[in-house]
Amino acid sequence: MNSLGYVLLFLVLLQACKAEEEYVWKSLEVKASAYNSVPSQTDSDPFIGAWGDTLSTREKSIAVSRDLIPLGLTHDTKVMIEGLPGVYLVKDKMAARWKRKIDIYMGEKVEKAKKWGVKKLSIAYAVKRDSTTIEK
């Protein structure tokens, strides 16, 4: 993990201690790209996510590859992304061909998404603390 990853992990731990003790924050390295609400990148209803949410740039959201769902990155999971401010919510799923990947929602700004490109980075995500799990 690089130094930005450690800073992200520290911020996540600090936030977890302050306000969300019912959650455990987990970290993961993923490939991150960006996507838009345009028919060429989605289906016939480009503003509706796979869980039925209306996508809007007023809410920071991401899509996740389906292999991340069993790890806890499910609908409305809170996610912090290395290098980006704020907390994102999982609102969409990617096509089955993608593995260990997230897509950051950027509305209709295709040039902004192209400029982002594809990056390998760390994310931290909140999963509900299981009362039967003992942390080490």
Side-chain angles (χ1 to χ4, degrees):
M1 184 182 293
N2 61 29
S3 60
L4 284 175
Y6 285 112
V7 169
L8 176 67
L9 184 58
F10 173 76
L11 292 173
V12 166
L13 291 173
L14 182 64
Q15 181 170 338
C17 291
K18 287 182 180 176
E20 300 189 12
E21 293 180 10
E22 72 270 18
Y23 290 96
V24 174
W25 287 85
K26 297 186 176 189
S27 62
L28 185 66
E29 280 207 11
V30 296
K31 281 190 178 177
S33 56
Y35 77 113
N36 308 101
S37 285
V38 294
S40 64
Q41 294 181 31
T42 61
D43 60 17
S44 61
D45 202 349
F47 290 95
I48 303 297
W51 277 289
D53 297 286
T54 300
L55 301 174
S56 167
T57 55
R58 285 182 242 129
E59 178 177 57
K60 295 179 179 189
S61 61
I62 64 171
V64 296
S65 58
R66 293 167 191 258
D67 63 322
L68 299 179
I69 294 169
L71 300 178
L73 282 152
T74 61
H75 183 241
D76 282 339
T77 298
K78 296 175 184 180
V79 179
M80 295 181 75
I81 302 169
E82 177 183 352
L84 295 177
V87 175
Y88 289 73
L89 295 176
V90 175
K91 294 290 185 181
D92 206 354
K93 300 177 211 177
M94 299 171 72
R97 70 180 178 271
W98 300 111
K99 303 290 180 215
R100 206 170 180 102
K101 189 170 187 237
I102 66 168
D103 245 355
I104 302 162
Y105 181 67
M106 295 192 177
E108 295 178 87
K109 297 179 180 178
V110 175
E111 286 306 313
K112 183 178 178 184
K114 285 181 181 178
K115 185 176 179 181
W116 171 265
V118 178
K119 303 173 187 208
K120 187 174 182 179
L121 48 73
S122 295
I123 62 169
Y125 61 101
V127 294
K128 285 228 178 229
R129 184 181 305 273
D130 183 355
S131 60
T132 62
T133 301
I134 299 173
E135 290 186 49
K136 296 180 182 181

